[in-house]
Amino acid sequence: MSPEVFGLTTHASTPATAARRGVEQAQRFCADRDRGFDIVRSEIWPNEYRIAFRCPRVIPDPVAEALVAPLVSPLDLPPAPEPPAAILRNRRGVPTSPGLF
């Protein structure tokens, strides 16, 4: 294969089983190296599956991470602050005290 492209052949009693095993093994190979997984080419034969794949570096994308960040539920928000107590005023606009007349 070319540089950075890996090849794998699996055999099984059915083409579907061979393909499933091949993809799982290729994904595990890339995951063991902390890399992504991309299929370059694959072929299914009567009891055989051939796959060519790459394991690209995973580059963090802050925009994509923000898009998949969990949404905040209104239940998770802190309660709204209590409004300040109303200040009673007399006719002149002077605050009244409950202890006076």
Side-chain angles (χ1 to χ4, degrees):
M1 303 262 103
S2 62
E4 298 292 319
V5 177
F6 304 94
L8 177 70
T9 301
T10 55
H11 300 272
S13 58
T14 66
T17 302
R20 182 181 49 78
R21 288 181 185 164
V23 170
E24 288 173 353
Q25 289 177 16
Q27 287 176 326
R28 194 172 324 115
F29 178 86
C30 293
D32 289 345
R33 287 153 182 78
D34 293 324
R35 300 283 189 101
F37 171 72
D38 285 333
I39 296 175
V40 175
R41 182 181 68 243
S42 65
E43 298 175 352
I44 297 179
W45 295 88
N47 297 335
E48 178 179 290
Y49 179 70
R50 296 178 189 165
I51 183 172
F53 62 97
R54 295 182 314 113
C55 300
R57 293 183 192 277
V58 178
I59 300 171
D61 182 355
V63 173
E65 290 173 6
L67 292 175
V68 296
L71 297 175
V72 177
S73 165
L75 300 175
D76 296 335
L77 296 175
E82 292 293 325
I87 299 174
L88 299 175
R89 298 182 182 274
N90 63 18
R91 285 183 278 178
R92 296 182 196 160
V94 177
T96 60
S97 170
L100 298 177
F101 307 92

Coordinates of all heavy atoms in Angstrom, one line a residue:
M1 N 0.8 -1.2 0.0 CA 0.0 0.0 0.0 C 0.9 1.3 0.0 O 2.1 1.2 0.3 CB -0.9 0.0 1.2 CG -1.8 -1.2 1.4 SD -3.5 -1.0 0.8 CE -3.4 -1.8 -0.7
S2 N 0.3 2.4 -0.2 CA 1.1 3.6 -0.2 C 1.3 4.1 1.2 O 0.7 3.5 2.2 CB 0.3 4.7 -1.0 OG -1.0 5.0 -0.4
P3 N 2.2 5.1 1.4 CA 2.4 5.5 2.8 C 1.1 6.0 3.5 O 0.3 6.6 2.9 CB 3.4 6.7 2.6 CG 3.9 6.5 1.3 CD 2.9 5.8 0.5
E4 N 1.0 5.6 4.7 CA -0.2 6.0 5.6 C -1.4 5.3 5.2 O -2.5 5.6 5.7 CB -0.4 7.5 5.5 CG 0.7 8.3 6.1 CD 0.9 8.2 7.6 OE1 -0.1 8.1 8.3 OE2 2.1 8.1 8.0
V5 N -1.4 4.3 4.2 CA -2.6 3.5 3.9 C -2.2 2.1 4.3 O -1.2 1.5 3.9 CB -2.9 3.6 2.4 CG1 -4.1 2.7 2.1 CG2 -3.2 5.0 2.0
F6 N -3.1 1.5 5.0 CA -2.9 0.1 5.5 C -3.9 -0.8 4.9 O -5.0 -0.4 4.4 CB -3.2 0.1 7.1 CG -2.3 1.0 7.8 CD1 -2.8 2.3 8.1 CD2 -1.0 0.7 8.2 CE1 -1.9 3.2 8.8 CE2 -0.2 1.6 8.8 CZ -0.7 2.8 9.2
G7 N -3.6 -2.1 4.8 CA -4.4 -3.1 4.2 C -4.7 -4.2 5.1 O -3.9 -4.5 6.0
L8 N -5.9 -4.8 5.0 CA -6.3 -5.9 5.9 C -7.2 -6.8 5.1 O -8.1 -6.3 4.3 CB -7.1 -5.3 7.1 CG -7.6 -6.3 8.1 CD1 -6.5 -7.0 8.9 CD2 -8.5 -5.5 9.0
T9 N -7.1 -8.1 5.3 CA -7.9 -9.1 4.7 C -8.5 -10.0 5.8 O -7.7 -10.5 6.6 CB -7.2 -10.0 3.6 OG1 -6.6 -9.1 2.6 CG2 -8.1 -11.0 3.0
T10 N -9.8 -10.2 5.8 CA -10.4 -11.1 6.8 C -11.2 -12.1 6.0 O -11.7 -11.9 4.9 CB -11.4 -10.3 7.7 OG1 -12.3 -9.6 7.0 CG2 -10.6 -9.4 8.6
H11 N -11.4 -13.3 6.7 CA -12.1 -14.4 6.1 C -13.2 -14.8 7.1 O -13.0 -14.8 8.3 CB -11.2 -15.6 5.8 CG -10.1 -15.3 4.9 ND1 -10.2 -15.5 3.5 CD2 -8.8 -14.9 5.1 CE1 -9.1 -15.1 2.9 NE2 -8.2 -14.7 3.9
A12 N -14.3 -15.2 6.6 CA -15.4 -15.7 7.5 C -16.4 -16.6 6.6 O -16.2 -16.7 5.4 CB -16.2 -14.5 8.1
S13 N -17.4 -17.1 7.3 CA -18.3 -18.0 6.6 C -19.2 -17.2 5.7 O -19.8 -17.8 4.7 CB -19.1 -18.8 7.6 OG -19.8 -18.0 8.5
T14 N -19.4 -15.9 5.9 CA -20.3 -15.1 5.0 C -19.6 -13.8 4.7 O -18.7 -13.4 5.5 CB -21.6 -14.8 5.7 OG1 -21.4 -14.0 6.8 CG2 -22.4 -16.1 6.1
P15 N -19.9 -13.2 3.6 CA -19.2 -11.9 3.3 C -19.6 -10.8 4.3 O -18.7 -10.0 4.6 CB -19.8 -11.6 1.9 CG -20.4 -12.8 1.3 CD -20.7 -13.7 2.5
A16 N -20.8 -10.8 4.8 CA -21.2 -9.8 5.8 C -20.3 -9.9 7.1 O -19.9 -8.9 7.6 CB -22.7 -9.9 6.1
T17 N -20.1 -11.2 7.5 CA -19.3 -11.4 8.8 C -17.9 -11.0 8.5 O -17.2 -10.4 9.3 CB -19.4 -12.9 9.2 OG1 -20.8 -13.2 9.4 CG2 -18.6 -13.1 10.5
A18 N -17.3 -11.3 7.3 CA -16.0 -11.0 7.0 C -15.8 -9.5 7.0 O -14.8 -8.9 7.5 CB -15.6 -11.6 5.7
A19 N -16.8 -8.8 6.4 CA -16.7 -7.3 6.3 C -16.8 -6.7 7.7 O -16.1 -5.8 8.0 CB -17.9 -6.8 5.4
R20 N -17.7 -7.2 8.5 CA -17.9 -6.6 9.9 C -16.6 -6.8 10.6 O -16.1 -5.8 11.3 CB -19.0 -7.3 10.6 CG -19.3 -6.7 12.0 CD -20.4 -7.5 12.7 NE -20.4 -8.9 12.7 CZ -19.6 -9.7 13.4 NH1 -18.7 -9.1 14.3 NH2 -19.6 -11.0 13.3
R21 N -16.0 -8.0 10.6 CA -14.8 -8.2 11.3 C -13.6 -7.3 10.8 O -12.8 -6.8 11.5 CB -14.4 -9.7 11.2 CG -15.2 -10.6 12.0 CD -14.8 -12.0 11.9 NE -15.7 -12.9 12.6 CZ -15.7 -14.2 12.4 NH1 -14.9 -14.8 11.6 NH2 -16.6 -15.0 13.1
G22 N -13.6 -7.2 9.5 CA -12.5 -6.4 8.9 C -12.6 -4.9 9.3 O -11.6 -4.3 9.7
V23 N -13.8 -4.4 9.3 CA -14.0 -3.0 9.7 C -13.7 -2.8 11.1 O -13.0 -1.9 11.6 CB -15.4 -2.5 9.3 CG1 -15.7 -1.1 9.9 CG2 -15.6 -2.4 7.8
E24 N -14.1 -3.7 12.0 CA -13.9 -3.7 13.4 C -12.4 -3.7 13.7 O -11.9 -2.9 14.5 CB -14.6 -4.8 14.2 CG -16.1 -4.6 14.2 CD -16.8 -5.8 14.8 OE1 -16.1 -6.9 15.1 OE2 -18.0 -5.7 15.1
Q25 N -11.6 -4.6 13.0 CA -10.2 -4.7 13.2 C -9.5 -3.5 12.8 O -8.6 -3.0 13.4 CB -9.6 -5.9 12.5 CG -10.0 -7.3 13.2 CD -9.5 -8.5 12.4 OE1 -8.6 -8.3 11.5 NE2 -10.1 -9.6 12.6
A26 N -9.9 -2.9 11.6 CA -9.3 -1.7 11.1 C -9.5 -0.5 12.1 O -8.6 0.3 12.4 CB -9.8 -1.4 9.7
Q27 N -10.7 -0.4 12.6 CA -11.1 0.7 13.5 C -10.3 0.5 14.8 O -9.8 1.5 15.3 CB -12.6 0.7 13.8 CG -13.4 1.2 12.7 CD -14.9 1.1 13.0 OE1 -15.4 0.1 13.7 NE2 -15.7 2.0 12.5
R28 N -10.2 -0.7 15.3 CA -9.4 -0.9 16.5 C -7.9 -0.6 16.3 O -7.3 0.0 17.2 CB -9.5 -2.4 16.9 CG -9.1 -2.6 18.3 CD -9.4 -4.1 18.8 NE -10.6 -4.6 18.4 CZ -10.7 -5.7 17.6 NH1 -9.7 -6.3 17.1 NH2 -11.9 -6.1 17.2
F29 N -7.4 -0.9 15.1 CA -6.0 -0.6 14.8 C -5.8 0.9 14.9 O -4.8 1.4 15.5 CB -5.7 -1.1 13.4 CG -4.3 -0.8 12.9 CD1 -3.2 -1.6 13.2 CD2 -4.0 0.4 12.1 CE1 -1.9 -1.3 12.7 CE2 -2.8 0.7 11.7 CZ -1.7 -0.2 12.0
C30 N -6.7 1.7 14.3 CA -6.5 3.2 14.4 C -6.8 3.7 15.8 O -6.1 4.6 16.2 CB -7.5 3.8 13.4 SG -7.1 3.5 11.7
A31 N -7.8 3.2 16.5 CA -8.1 3.6 17.8 C -6.9 3.4 18.8 O -6.6 4.2 19.7 CB -9.3 3.0 18.3
D32 N -6.2 2.3 18.6 CA -5.0 1.9 19.4 C -3.9 3.0 19.3 O -3.1 3.1 20.1 CB -4.5 0.6 19.1 CG -5.4 -0.6 19.6 OD1 -6.3 -0.3 20.4 OD2 -5.2 -1.7 19.2
R33 N -4.0 3.7 18.2 CA -3.0 4.7 17.9 C -3.5 6.2 18.1 O -2.9 7.1 17.7 CB -2.5 4.6 16.5 CG -1.6 3.4 16.3 CD -1.6 2.8 14.9 NE -0.7 1.6 14.9 CZ -1.1 0.4 15.3 NH1 -2.2 0.2 15.9 NH2 -0.2 -0.6 15.2
D34 N -4.7 6.2 18.7 CA -5.4 7.5 19.0 C -5.6 8.3 17.7 O -5.3 9.5 17.6 CB -4.7 8.3 20.0 CG -4.7 7.7 21.4 OD1 -5.8 7.1 21.7 OD2 -3.7 7.8 22.1
R35 N -6.0 7.6 16.6 CA -6.2 8.2 15.3 C -7.6 8.0 14.9 O -8.4 7.2 15.4 CB -5.3 7.6 14.3 CG -3.8 7.7 14.6 CD -3.3 9.1 14.2 NE -1.9 9.3 14.2 CZ -1.1 9.3 13.2 NH1 -1.6 9.2 12.0 NH2 0.2 9.5 13.3
G36 N -8.0 8.8 13.9 CA -9.3 8.6 13.2 C -9.3 7.4 12.3 O -8.3 6.6 12.3
F37 N -10.4 7.1 11.6 CA -10.5 6.0 10.7 C -11.2 6.4 9.4 O -12.3 6.9 9.4 CB -11.3 4.9 11.4 CG -11.6 3.7 10.5 CD1 -10.7 2.8 10.1 CD2 -12.9 3.5 10.1 CE1 -11.0 1.7 9.3 CE2 -13.3 2.4 9.3 CZ -12.3 1.5 8.9
D38 N -10.5 6.2 8.3 CA -11.1 6.4 6.9 C -10.9 5.2 6.0 O -9.7 4.8 5.9 CB -10.4 7.7 6.3 CG -10.9 9.0 6.9 OD1 -12.0 9.0 7.4 OD2 -10.1 9.9 6.8
I39 N -11.9 4.8 5.4 CA -11.8 3.7 4.4 C -11.4 4.3 3.1 O -12.0 5.3 2.6 CB -13.1 2.9 4.2 CG1 -13.5 2.2 5.5 CG2 -13.0 1.9 3.1 CD1 -14.8 1.5 5.5
V40 N -10.3 3.8 2.5 CA -9.8 4.2 1.2 C -10.5 3.4 0.1 O -11.0 3.9 -0.9 CB -8.3 4.1 1.1 CG1 -7.8 4.4 -0.3 CG2 -7.7 5.0 2.1
R41 N -10.5 2.1 0.3 CA -11.1 1.1 -0.7 C -11.5 -0.1 0.0 O -10.8 -0.5 1.0 CB -10.1 0.9 -1.8 CG -10.6 0.0 -2.9 CD -9.5 -0.2 -4.0 NE -8.4 -1.1 -3.5 CZ -7.1 -0.6 -3.3 NH1 -6.8 0.6 -3.7 NH2 -6.2 -1.5 -2.9
S42 N -12.5 -0.8 -0.5 CA -12.8 -2.2 0.1 C -13.4 -3.0 -1.0 O -14.0 -2.5 -2.0 CB -13.8 -2.0 1.2 OG -15.1 -1.5 0.8
E43 N -13.2 -4.3 -0.8 CA -13.7 -5.3 -1.8 C -14.3 -6.5 -1.0 O -13.7 -6.9 0.0 CB -12.6 -5.9 -2.6 CG -11.9 -4.9 -3.5 CD -10.7 -5.5 -4.2 OE1 -10.3 -6.6 -4.0 OE2 -10.1 -4.7 -5.1
I44 N -15.5 -6.9 -1.4 CA -16.1 -8.1 -0.8 C -16.1 -9.2 -1.8 O -16.6 -9.1 -2.9 CB -17.6 -7.8 -0.4 CG1 -17.6 -6.6 0.7 CG2 -18.3 -9.0 0.2 CD1 -19.0 -6.2 1.1
W45 N -15.6 -10.4 -1.3 CA -15.6 -11.6 -2.1 C -16.4 -12.6 -1.3 O -16.8 -12.4 -0.2 CB -14.1 -12.1 -2.3 CG -13.3 -11.1 -3.1 CD1 -12.6 -10.0 -2.6 CD2 -13.1 -11.1 -4.5 NE1 -12.0 -9.3 -3.6 CE2 -12.3 -10.0 -4.8 CE3 -13.6 -11.9 -5.5 CZ2 -11.9 -9.7 -6.1 CZ3 -13.2 -11.6 -6.8 CH2 -12.4 -10.5 -7.1
P46 N -16.6 -13.8 -2.0 CA -17.5 -14.8 -1.3 C -17.1 -15.2 0.1 O -17.3 -15.8 0.6 CB -17.5 -16.0 -2.2 CG -17.2 -15.4 -3.6 CD -16.4 -14.2 -3.3
N47 N -16.3 -15.1 0.8 CA -16.0 -15.4 2.2 C -14.8 -14.6 2.6 O -14.0 -15.0 3.5 CB -15.8 -16.9 2.4 CG -17.0 -17.7 2.1 OD1 -18.1 -17.2 2.2 ND2 -16.9 -18.9 1.8
E48 N -14.6 -13.5 1.9 CA -13.3 -12.7 2.2 C -13.7 -11.2 2.0 O -14.5 -10.8 1.2 CB -12.3 -13.1 1.2 CG -11.0 -12.3 1.3 CD -10.0 -12.8 0.2 OE1 -9.5 -13.9 0.4 OE2 -9.7 -12.1 -0.7
Y49 N -13.0 -10.4 2.8 CA -13.2 -9.0 2.8 C -11.8 -8.3 2.8 O -11.0 -8.6 3.6 CB -14.0 -8.5 4.0 CG -14.2 -7.0 4.0 CD1 -15.1 -6.4 3.1 CD2 -13.6 -6.2 5.0 CE1 -15.3 -5.0 3.1 CE2 -13.8 -4.8 5.0 CZ -14.7 -4.2 4.1 OH -14.9 -2.9 4.1
R50 N -11.6 -7.4 1.8 CA -10.3 -6.7 1.8 C -10.6 -5.2 2.0 O -11.5 -4.7 1.3 CB -9.6 -6.9 0.4 CG -9.2 -8.3 0.1 CD -8.6 -8.4 -1.2 NE -8.4 -9.8 -1.6 CZ -8.2 -10.3 -2.8 NH1 -8.1 -9.5 -3.8 NH2 -8.0 -11.6 -3.0
I51 N -9.8 -4.6 2.8 CA -10.0 -3.2 3.1 C -8.7 -2.4 3.1 O -7.7 -3.0 3.6 CB -10.8 -3.0 4.5 CG1 -11.1 -1.5 4.7 CG2 -10.0 -3.6 5.6 CD1 -11.9 -1.3 6.0
A52 N -8.7 -1.3 2.5 CA -7.5 -0.4 2.5 C -8.0 0.8 3.3 O -9.1 1.4 3.0 CB -7.1 0.0 1.1
F53 N -7.3 1.3 4.3 CA -7.8 2.3 5.2 C -6.6 3.2 5.7 O -5.4 2.8 5.6 CB -8.5 1.8 6.4 CG -7.7 0.9 7.3 CD1 -7.1 1.4 8.4 CD2 -7.5 -0.5 7.0 CE1 -6.3 0.6 9.2 CE2 -6.7 -1.3 7.8 CZ -6.1 -0.8 8.9
R54 N -7.0 4.4 6.1 CA -6.0 5.4 6.7 C -6.4 5.6 8.1 O -7.6 5.5 8.5 CB -6.0 6.7 5.9 CG -5.6 6.6 4.5 CD -5.6 8.0 3.8 NE -6.8 8.8 4.0 CZ -6.8 10.0 4.7 NH1 -5.7 10.5 5.2 NH2 -8.0 10.6 4.8
C55 N -5.4 6.1 8.9 CA -5.7 6.5 10.3 C -5.2 7.9 10.4 O -4.1 8.2 10.9 CB -4.9 5.6 11.3 SG -5.3 3.9 11.2
P56 N -6.0 8.9 10.0 CA -5.6 10.3 10.0 C -5.6 10.8 11.5 O -6.3 10.3 12.3 CB -6.7 11.0 9.2 CG -7.9 10.1 9.4 CD -7.4 8.7 9.4
R57 N -4.7 11.8 11.6 CA -4.6 12.5 13.0 C -5.9 13.2 13.2 O -6.5 13.8 12.3 CB -3.5 13.5 13.0 CG -2.1 12.9 12.9 CD -1.1 14.0 13.0 NE 0.2 13.5 12.7 CZ 1.0 12.8 13.5 NH1 0.6 12.6 14.7 NH2 2.2 12.4 13.1
V58 N -6.4 13.2 14.4 CA -7.6 13.9 14.8 C -7.2 15.3 15.3 O -6.4 15.4 16.3 CB -8.3 13.1 15.9 CG1 -9.6 13.9 16.3 CG2 -8.7 11.7 15.5
I59 N -7.6 16.3 14.6 CA -7.3 17.7 14.9 C -8.5 18.3 15.6 O -9.6 18.3 15.1 CB -7.0 18.5 13.7 CG1 -5.8 17.8 13.0 CG2 -6.7 19.9 14.0 CD1 -5.4 18.4 11.6
P60 N -8.4 18.7 16.9 CA -9.5 19.3 17.6 C -10.1 20.5 16.8 O -9.4 21.3 16.3 CB -9.0 19.7 18.9 CG -7.6 19.1 19.0 CD -7.2 18.8 17.7
D61 N -11.4 20.6 16.8 CA -12.1 21.7 16.1 C -13.0 22.3 17.1 O -14.0 21.8 17.5 CB -12.9 21.1 14.9 CG -13.6 22.2 14.2 OD1 -13.6 23.4 14.6 OD2 -14.2 21.9 13.1
P62 N -12.6 23.5 17.7 CA -13.4 24.1 18.7 C -14.8 24.5 18.3 O -15.7 24.4 19.1 CB -12.6 25.4 19.1 CG -11.6 25.6 18.0 CD -11.4 24.3 17.3
V63 N -15.0 24.8 17.0 CA -16.4 25.1 16.6 C -17.2 23.8 16.6 O -18.4 23.9 17.1 CB -16.3 25.7 15.1 CG1 -17.7 25.9 14.6 CG2 -15.6 27.0 15.2
A64 N -16.7 22.7 16.1 CA -17.5 21.5 16.1 C -17.7 21.0 17.5 O -18.8 20.5 17.8 CB -16.7 20.4 15.3
E65 N -16.8 21.2 18.4 CA -17.0 20.8 19.8 C -18.0 21.6 20.5 O -18.8 21.2 21.2 CB -15.6 20.9 20.6 CG -14.6 19.9 20.2 CD -13.3 20.2 20.8 OE1 -13.1 21.1 21.7 OE2 -12.3 19.4 20.5
A66 N -18.1 22.9 20.1 CA -19.2 23.8 20.7 C -20.5 23.4 20.2 O -21.5 23.5 20.9 CB -18.9 25.2 20.3
L67 N -20.6 22.9 18.9 CA -21.9 22.5 18.4 C -22.4 21.2 19.0 O -23.6 21.0 19.1 CB -21.8 22.3 16.8 CG -21.5 23.5 16.0 CD1 -21.3 23.2 14.6 CD2 -22.7 24.5 16.2
V68 N -21.5 20.3 19.5 CA -22.0 19.1 20.1 C -22.0 19.2 21.6 O -22.2 18.2 22.3 CB -21.1 17.9 19.6 CG1 -21.2 17.6 18.2 CG2 -19.6 18.1 20.0
A69 N -21.7 20.3 22.1 CA -21.7 20.5 23.6 C -23.1 20.3 24.1 O -24.1 20.7 23.4 CB -21.2 21.9 24.0
P70 N -23.3 19.7 25.2 CA -24.7 19.5 25.7 C -25.4 20.8 25.9 O -24.8 21.8 26.4 CB -24.5 18.8 27.0 CG -23.1 19.0 27.4 CD -22.3 19.3 26.2
L71 N -26.7 20.8 25.6 CA -27.5 22.0 25.8 C -27.8 22.2 27.3 O -28.0 21.2 28.0 CB -28.8 21.9 25.0 CG -28.6 21.8 23.5 CD1 -30.0 21.6 22.8 CD2 -28.0 23.1 23.0
V72 N -27.9 23.4 27.7 CA -28.2 23.6 29.1 C -29.7 23.6 29.3 O -30.4 24.4 28.6 CB -27.6 25.0 29.6 CG1 -28.0 25.3 31.0 CG2 -26.1 25.0 29.4
S73 N -30.2 22.9 30.2 CA -31.6 22.8 30.5 C -32.0 24.0 31.4 O -31.2 24.4 32.3 CB -31.9 21.5 31.2 OG -33.2 21.5 31.8
P74 N -33.2 24.5 31.3 CA -33.6 25.6 32.2 C -33.6 25.1 33.6 O -33.4 25.9 34.6 CB -35.0 25.9 31.8 CG -35.1 25.4 30.4 CD -34.2 24.3 30.2
L75 N -33.7 23.8 33.9 CA -33.6 23.3 35.2 C -32.2 23.3 35.8 O -32.0 23.3 37.0 CB -34.1 21.8 35.2 CG -35.6 21.6 34.8 CD1 -35.9 20.2 34.7 CD2 -36.5 22.4 35.6
D76 N -31.2 23.4 34.9 CA -29.8 23.5 35.4 C -29.4 24.9 35.7 O -28.3 25.1 36.2 CB -28.9 22.9 34.3 CG -29.1 21.4 34.0 OD1 -29.7 20.7 34.9 OD2 -28.8 20.9 32.9
L77 N -30.1 25.9 35.3 CA -29.7 27.3 35.5 C -30.0 27.6 37.0 O -30.9 27.1 37.6 CB -30.6 28.2 34.6 CG -30.4 28.0 33.1 CD1 -31.3 28.9 32.4 CD2 -28.9 28.4 32.8
P78 N -29.1 28.5 37.5 CA -29.4 28.9 38.9 C -30.7 29.7 39.0 O -31.1 30.3 38.0 CB -28.2 29.8 39.2 CG -27.6 30.3 37.9 CD -28.0 29.2 36.9
P79 N -31.3 29.7 40.2 CA -32.6 30.5 40.3 C -32.3 32.0 40.1 O -31.2 32.5 40.4 CB -33.0 30.1 41.7 CG -31.8 29.7 42.4 CD -30.9 29.1 41.4
A80 N -33.3 32.7 39.7 CA -33.2 34.1 39.5 C -33.2 34.8 40.8 O -33.8 34.3 41.8 CB -34.5 34.6 38.7
P81 N -32.4 35.9 40.9 CA -32.3 36.5 42.2 C -33.6 37.1 42.6 O -34.4 37.5 41.8 CB -31.2 37.6 42.0 CG -31.2 37.8 40.5 CD -31.6 36.5 39.9
E82 N -33.8 37.2 43.9 CA -35.1 37.8 44.5 C -35.1 39.3 44.2 O -34.0 39.9 44.3 CB -35.2 37.5 46.0 CG -35.4 36.1 46.3 CD -36.7 35.6 45.9 OE1 -37.7 36.3 45.9 OE2 -36.8 34.4 45.5
P83 N -36.2 39.9 43.8 CA -36.2 41.3 43.6 C -36.0 42.0 44.9 O -36.4 41.5 46.0 CB -37.6 41.6 43.0 CG -38.4 40.4 43.3 CD -37.5 39.2 43.5
P84 N -35.5 43.2 44.9 CA -35.3 43.9 46.2 C -36.7 44.3 46.8 O -37.6 44.5 46.0 CB -34.5 45.2 45.8 CG -34.8 45.3 44.3 CD -35.0 44.0 43.8
A85 N -36.7 44.3 48.1 CA -37.9 44.7 48.8 C -38.4 46.1 48.4 O -37.5 47.0 48.2 CB -37.7 44.5 50.3
A86 N -39.6 46.2 48.2 CA -40.2 47.6 47.9 C -40.0 48.5 49.0 O -40.1 48.2 50.2 CB -41.6 47.5 47.5
I87 N -39.5 49.7 48.7 CA -39.3 50.7 49.7 C -40.6 51.6 49.7 O -40.9 52.2 48.7 CB -38.1 51.6 49.4 CG1 -36.9 50.7 49.4 CG2 -38.0 52.7 50.4 CD1 -35.6 51.4 49.0
L88 N -41.3 51.6 50.9 CA -42.5 52.5 51.0 C -42.1 53.9 51.2 O -41.2 54.2 51.9 CB -43.3 52.0 52.1 CG -43.8 50.5 52.0 CD1 -44.6 50.1 53.3 CD2 -44.7 50.4 50.8
R89 N -42.7 54.8 50.5 CA -42.4 56.2 50.6 C -43.7 57.0 51.0 O -44.8 56.6 50.6 CB -41.9 56.8 49.3 CG -40.6 56.1 48.9 CD -40.0 56.6 47.6 NE -38.8 55.9 47.2 CZ -37.6 56.2 47.7 NH1 -37.4 57.2 48.5 NH2 -36.6 55.6 47.2
N90 N -43.5 58.1 51.8 CA -44.7 58.9 52.1 C -45.0 59.9 51.0 O -44.4 59.8 49.9 CB -44.5 59.6 53.4 CG -43.3 60.6 53.4 OD1 -42.9 61.0 52.3 ND2 -42.8 61.0 54.5
R91 N -45.9 60.8 51.2 CA -46.3 61.7 50.1 C -45.2 62.6 49.6 O -45.2 63.0 48.5 CB -47.5 62.6 50.6 CG -48.8 61.8 50.6 CD -49.9 62.7 50.9 NE -49.9 62.8 52.4 CZ -50.7 63.5 53.1 NH1 -51.6 64.2 52.5 NH2 -50.7 63.5 54.4
R92 N -44.2 62.9 50.5 CA -43.1 63.7 50.1 C -42.0 62.9 49.4 O -41.0 63.5 49.0 CB -42.5 64.4 51.3 CG -43.5 65.4 51.9 CD -42.8 66.0 53.1 NE -43.8 66.6 53.9 CZ -43.6 67.0 55.2 NH1 -42.4 66.7 55.8 NH2 -44.6 67.5 55.9
G93 N -42.2 61.6 49.3 CA -41.1 60.8 48.7 C -40.1 60.3 49.6 O -39.1 59.8 49.2
V94 N -40.3 60.6 50.9 CA -39.3 60.2 51.9 C -39.6 58.7 52.3 O -40.8 58.4 52.6 CB -39.3 61.1 53.1 CG1 -38.4 60.7 54.2 CG2 -39.1 62.5 52.7
P95 N -38.6 57.9 52.4 CA -38.8 56.5 52.8 C -39.4 56.5 54.2 O -39.0 57.2 55.1 CB -37.5 55.8 52.8 CG -36.6 56.7 51.9 CD -37.2 58.1 52.0
T96 N -40.4 55.6 54.4 CA -41.1 55.5 55.7 C -40.4 54.3 56.4 O -39.8 53.4 55.8 CB -42.6 55.2 55.6 OG1 -42.8 54.0 54.8 CG2 -43.2 56.4 54.9
S97 N -40.5 54.3 57.7 CA -40.0 53.3 58.6 C -41.1 52.6 59.2 O -42.0 53.3 59.8 CB -39.0 53.9 59.6 OG -38.7 52.9 60.5
P98 N -41.1 51.3 59.3 CA -42.3 50.6 60.0 C -42.3 50.9 61.5 O -43.3 50.7 62.1 CB -42.0 49.1 59.7 CG -40.6 49.0 59.3 CD -40.2 50.4 58.8
G99 N -41.2 51.4 62.0 CA -41.1 51.6 63.5 C -41.7 53.0 63.8 O -41.8 53.3 65.0
L100 N -42.0 53.8 62.9 CA -42.5 55.2 63.2 C -44.0 55.2 63.0 O -44.5 54.5 62.2 CB -41.8 56.2 62.3 CG -40.3 56.4 62.4 CD1 -39.8 57.4 61.4 CD2 -39.9 56.8 63.8
F101 N -44.6 56.0 63.8 CA -46.1 56.2 63.8 C -46.8 55.3 63.0 O -47.3 55.4 62.0 CB -46.4 57.7 63.5 CG -45.7 58.6 64.4 CD1 -44.5 59.1 64.0 CD2 -46.2 59.0 65.6 CE1 -43.8 60.0 64.8 CE2 -45.5 59.9 66.4 CZ -44.3 60.4 66.0

